[in-house]
Every structure is written in structure tokens, then in C-alpha cells.
């Protein structure tokens, strides 16, 4: 496994993605984000009701002779990507119904381990002008680990915080790229499939840590690099189109990287040191015999000298007694039990946080 010193960090590499990935050291990348050609199979121009032309993807880079050619291309870059990933690395691939199922099969055939499929629901999708199908209002992202034994980063607490304290679901409602974020040249889109930064923000924040290396083999105008830079992650872009590569470099030159890890990471509660309730008792934060209650004061229990609780019918840990009095299968005693302080009921978790702060 190679260190980051051997990597071309913060650079846009021009050329074929497979050839350039094969030049990079194996096991050196933390996360790969891939927005490959969709092979849209457009047979004719798309026109709006006013007969104006819809900007579709009809560039040469999205054209393949047949499905076999597309599958061969997909397997080649996926194999190169898997070689680059660290043992606990992960890959994100985005696509539409034209290609995402073929990518999913290739990922599994090559040994990747699928973690989630994410539905990106677009708040402002393009209408279906011909009226012969449902409006295509979503794209799909596949999140995969390098293999079944990998333990990729998942910043659960960051995703929960991003979602107002609720678990992040696998359907994401986000707008398509538009407004001032959409890069244009002479009034026309600089790239037909530029992704919104909000989408990449969620992807990179979810599955990397500050300082991790993000590789994008289909860099386009550099959205993944722009977001990685803002989030304090290292990045490498690969782009075969010289014009797109130039636009990406100009875009990234104007972005200030975030250097304070505290601003771009969310500490995981699982990584915090374990604090037994007995510490609260032996260090005098709650005396033996102190009465605890739930927030609604339906149930009470007394603190014993060994850090266990005793109620009218039960004794055990703060978690066991909390579950037993409610008749529940489990209970987080730190948030269930409260103590009286300054005339108010406060969760005993405040005492745990006080002890935890003393360990820093």
C-alpha cells in the first residue's frame, strides 16, 4: 500500500481513465466517485413543445456501438478502480435506468460488496415532452465496498445531523444543478450532465474523513473535486476531454480549501470513550440513594453504591431497570433517567458528558 506522497493530489489528469488509473499505486484511494457515460441510446433529437432543442447527451463520449461494448468499458474501469481502493475503501457510481442495472451486475461480478442503492429524487426534473413515458424524475447511486470483508467509513452521526436529527434515508430529495452553480460558456451549458454540489456534499461527507483521498475517473467540470476541497478531503480528477479539464481547473482554482478538521467532521458517538454509570456514583456526581425518574415522573428508582439502580420491583443497570419498568425490550438509561438539579429534571447523560469532557 502506497502513501499519499506518491499520488498526484489536487490535480486533473488528462487522458483515458483506465490507462491513468493503472499508473496509480494499488490500495491508495479511500473513495471513488464515478459518474460514467450513461449510454443514453438517444435515437433522435428531443424537442420541447415550442420546438426548441433539449440539450441531451449526444457527445461522442456517451456513444457505444452496443451493450457488449458498454459492458466491456464498464468492467475495465471498475477493475481498475477496485485495484486502487484501500481494503476498507468504497465506490459510488451514479446512473439512470439506461445503465445503472448493468453497472450493478458488473460490480457484483467483480467482487464489490453492495451497501446501498440511493434514489436521488429531483425536485425539478425535466418534463417528458413526448408524453409517452413517465417523467424521469430520479437517478440511482450505488454505494459499494471494495469487497465483503471491507469496513468502509460511514459517518452516521453526520448524516443524522444533516437530516435534523433523523436517520438519513436512502431516498434523497435534491434539486438538479441550476442557477449560478451551473457552469456556462457563451450562455450554453459547459457540461450536459453537471451534478449538483449538494449531491456530492452528502456522498463525500457520508463516506470519507478529513484528509481522505477521493478519486473521480470521470471528472467533467470538477464537482467532486470542488466539494472535496471544501470538505478538507484530498482529490484526484481524471478527464479525457481537454475543454472539461480546463474548466475544472479554473473552477477549482477559485475554491478555498477547508483546513480545520473540526469544521468538516462529526465525531461518532461510537468512538467516544465508554463511561460506566458507576463512575458517576464513585466520583460524587450523584450520591448513593439519589432518586431518579423518567421525564414524566411515572417511574422512579434509587441509585445504589455499586452504580446499579433499585426500583419497587427491579434492580440492575440503568438500562436494565429502565427497560423493565416500561416493559420494553431495551432502554438507553442515560437518556431515560433524570435527576433533579436546580429545580429541574435533567437527563443523567449530562453527568456522563461532564465525565467525558474530563478525559480530554
Amino acid at each position: 500500500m502506497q502513501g499519499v506522497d506518491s499520488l498526484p493530489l489536487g490535480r486533473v489528469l488528462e487522458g483515458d481513465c483506465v490507462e491513468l488509473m493503472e499508473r496509480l499505486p494499488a490500495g491508495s484511494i479511500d473513495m471513488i466517485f464515478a459518474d460514467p457515460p450513461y449510454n443514453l441510446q438517444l435515437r433522435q433529437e428531443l424537442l420541447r413543445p415550442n420546438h426548441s432543442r433539449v440539450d441531451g447527451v449526444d457527445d461522442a463520449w456517451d456513444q457505444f456501438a452496443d451493450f457488449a461494448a458498454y459492458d466491456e468499458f464498464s468492467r475495465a474501469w471498475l477493475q481498475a478502480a477496485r485495484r486502487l481502493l484501500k481494503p476498507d475503501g468504497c465506490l459510488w457510481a451514479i446512473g439512470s435506468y439506461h445503465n445503472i442495472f448493468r453497472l450493478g451486475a458488473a460490480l457484483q461480478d467483480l467482487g464489490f460488496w453492495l451497501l446501498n442503492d440511493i434514489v436521488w429524487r429531483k425536485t425539478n426534473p425535466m418534463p417528458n415532452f413526448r408524453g409517452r413515458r413517465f417523467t424521469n424524475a430520479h437517478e440511482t447511486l450505488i454505494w459499494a465496498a471494495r469487497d465483503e470483508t471491507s469496513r468502509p467509513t460511514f459517518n452516521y452521526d453526520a448524516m443524522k445531523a444533516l437530516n435534523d436529527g433523523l436517520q438519513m434515508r436512502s431516498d434523497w430529495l435534491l434539486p438538479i444543478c441550476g442557477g449560478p452553480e451551473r457552469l456556462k460558456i457563451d450562455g450554453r451549458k459547459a457540461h450536459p450532465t453537471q451534478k449538483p454540489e449538494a449531491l456530492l456534499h452528502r456522498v463525500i461527507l457520508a463516506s470519507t474523513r478529513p484528509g481522505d483521498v477521493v478519486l473521480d475517473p470521470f471528472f467533467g467540470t470538477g464537482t467532486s473535486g470542488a466539494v472535496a476541497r471544501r470538505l478538507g478531503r484530498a482529490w484526484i480528477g481524471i478527464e479525457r476531454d481537454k475543454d472539461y479539464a480546463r474548466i475544472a481547473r479554473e473552477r477549482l482554482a477559485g475554491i478555498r480549501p477547508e483546513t480545520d478538521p473540526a469544521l468538516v467532521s462529526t465525531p461518532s458517538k461510537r468512538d467516544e470513550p465508554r463511561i460506566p454509570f458507576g463512575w458517576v456514583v464513585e466520583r460524587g456526581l450523584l450520591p448513593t440513594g439519589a432518586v431518579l425518574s423518567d421525564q414524566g415522573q411515572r417511574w422512579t428508582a434509587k441509585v445504589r453504591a455499586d452504580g446499579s439502580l433499585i426500583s419497587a420491583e427491579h434492580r440492575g443497570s440503568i438500562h436494565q431497570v429502565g427497560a423493565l419498568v416500561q416493559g420494553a425490550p431495551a432502554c438507553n438509561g442515560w437518556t431515560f433517567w433524570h435527576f433533579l438539579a436546580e429545580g429541574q429534571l435533567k437527563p443523567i447523560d449530562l453527568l456522563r458528558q461532564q465525565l467525558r469532557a474530563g478525559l480530554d
Side-chain angles (χ1 to χ4, degrees):
M1 186 180 300
Q2 302 291 323
V4 296
D5 292 341
S6 61
L7 294 171
L9 301 180
R11 290 178 54 193
V12 183
L13 310 179
E14 290 184 26
D16 179 80
C17 67
V18 176
E19 292 179 4
L20 290 172
M21 281 194 284
E22 288 177 346
R23 298 179 191 175
L24 299 177
S28 59
I29 303 298
D30 296 286
M31 190 199 94
I32 294 174
F33 176 81
D35 183 9
Y38 284 14
N39 191 24
L40 290 179
Q41 307 133 48
L42 295 179
R43 300 292 183 241
Q44 59 187 11
E45 286 188 332
L46 292 177
L47 300 177
R48 297 183 177 87
N50 65 1
H51 300 292
S52 61
R53 181 177 177 275
V54 175
D55 288 334
V57 181
D58 51 8
D59 299 277
W61 54 261
D62 196 60
Q63 305 299 314
F64 293 85
D66 50 33
F67 288 129
Y70 185 78
D71 291 346
E72 181 181 2
F73 164 76
S74 298
R75 288 175 178 272
W77 74 258
L78 284 170
Q79 283 179 319
R82 189 167 185 268
R83 184 187 72 86
L84 289 180
L85 287 175
K86 294 178 181 179
D88 290 332
C90 70
L91 177 144
W92 291 79
I94 186 170
S96 67
Y97 68 89
H98 300 90
N99 71 322
I100 198 65
F101 304 110
R102 310 189 79 84
L103 288 179
L107 283 163
Q108 290 182 313
D109 289 344
L110 293 172
F112 287 89
W113 187 252
L114 303 194
L115 300 168
N116 274 116
D117 65 322
I118 304 294
V119 175
W120 167 29
R121 294 174 53 215
K122 302 174 182 179
T123 58
N124 48 346
M126 182 183 297
N128 185 280
F129 294 112
R130 292 177 183 162
R132 296 177 181 175
R133 301 184 185 184
F134 297 106
T135 297
N136 295 321
H138 78 277
E139 292 184 33
T140 301
L141 297 95
I142 297 176
W143 180 33
R146 195 188 76 165
D147 55 53
E148 185 177 357
T149 64
S150 300
R151 296 180 63 84
T153 295
F154 178 50
N155 296 316
Y156 170 83
D157 293 294
M159 291 297 96
K160 192 172 181 180
L162 198 64
N163 199 38
D164 280 343
L166 300 176
Q167 282 191 338
M168 183 72 74
R169 293 162 36 125
S170 61
D171 53 334
W172 298 354
L173 184 63
L174 296 167
I176 62 173
C177 184
E181 183 186 342
R182 168 66 78 170
L183 301 178
K184 294 185 178 181
I185 298 176
D186 298 326
R188 295 178 60 85
K189 295 176 181 177
H191 194 291
T193 64
Q194 182 182 341
K195 295 300 183 288
E197 291 191 9
L199 180 68
L200 270 297
H201 182 100
R202 193 170 294 185
V203 166
I204 293 173
L205 189 65
S207 52
T208 63
R209 296 183 176 93
D212 280 358
V213 180
V214 177
L215 170 69
D216 186 337
F218 307 98
F219 203 52
T221 54
T223 301
S224 61
V227 175
R229 191 169 169 83
R230 289 196 178 97
L231 291 177
R233 275 68 167 171
W235 60 272
I236 303 169
I238 299 177
E239 177 52 51
R240 67 185 306 167
D241 187 288
K242 293 183 180 298
D243 291 332
Y244 293 158
R246 174 183 53 79
I247 294 168
R249 291 190 186 100
E250 293 173 355
R251 175 185 187 181
L252 287 156
I255 296 176
R256 182 183 67 84
E258 182 52 64
T259 58
D260 185 352
L263 299 179
V264 289
S265 63
T266 303
S268 171
K269 293 181 179 178
R270 294 177 182 177
D271 296 335
E272 294 178 337
R274 180 177 177 273
I275 305 293
F277 181 67
W279 290 14
V280 173
V281 180
E282 68 183 8
R283 301 188 188 190
L285 298 182
L286 278 178
T288 300
V291 176
L292 305 182
S293 71
D294 66 292
Q295 191 170 20
Q297 296 184 298
R298 295 177 60 189
W299 299 284
T300 61
K302 288 185 177 182
V303 176
R304 303 178 75 219
D306 61 3
S308 63
L309 300 186
I310 182 170
S311 70
E313 300 177 355
H314 310 288
R315 68 175 58 188
S317 72
I318 57 173
H319 313 295
Q320 292 169 332
V321 176
L324 289 169
V325 296
Q326 298 177 85
C331 172
N332 182 348
W334 289 108
T335 57
F336 177 76
W337 294 111
H338 290 63
F339 67 103
L340 189 64
E342 300 173 351
Q344 295 182 334
L345 284 176
K346 298 182 179 181
I348 59 174
D349 193 46
L350 293 178
L351 304 177
R352 177 172 64 164
Q353 296 303 325
Q354 183 177 335
L355 289 173
R356 187 169 281 151
L359 298 177
D360 296 338

